[in-house]
Amino acid sequence: MLAATGFTARKSLGQHFIFDRNLTDKIAASARAPGADPAAPLAGRTIVEVGPGPGGLTRSLLCAGANVVAVERDERAGEALAPLVDAAGGRLTLHLGDALEADWPTLVPEGASICANLPYNVATPL
């Protein structure tokens, strides 16, 4: 998918893509509620992912049962994530824009959790 869209990581955006499914599954599992069903640890929960890039972690969050609200600054990600948005059956919403300028109460429901592979320059102020 990256080769087809020409989507490459940009250091200026602090991008580092994680594609190891074992690792992204562990990150996703860390967002589960205590006592959650191990077969669907995020079932029915809304997870905010800031900076999904090409969607490595996004896939693991969806497979764990989450509804994902993804906020991405890099417009190239829209093209790369389009097939995943289509395949997610309404459980993935993509907002293109800067997370530091987002209107969070409008974007996500109360009680949502954040699970993301954020660069430090975004994580600290966010």
Side-chain angles (χ1 to χ4, degrees), residues 65-108:
N67 297 309
V68 179
V69 176
V71 179
E72 175 60 63
R73 179 179 172 194
D74 189 344
E75 291 184 13
R76 300 173 304 150
E79 183 181 354
L81 288 170
L84 188 55
V85 170
D86 292 342
R91 293 191 307 118
L92 173 58
T93 304
L94 176 62
H95 295 280
L96 292 175
D98 191 330
L100 297 175
E101 298 173 3
D103 181 7
W104 288 105
T106 303
L107 287 180
V108 296

Side-chain angles (χ1 to χ4, degrees), residues 6 10 13 25 34 46 55-56 71 77 83 95 109 118 120 123 126:
R10 290 188 177 161
L13 295 175
D25 284 352
T46 298
V71 179
H95 295 280
L118 291 174
Y120 294 115
L126 186 60

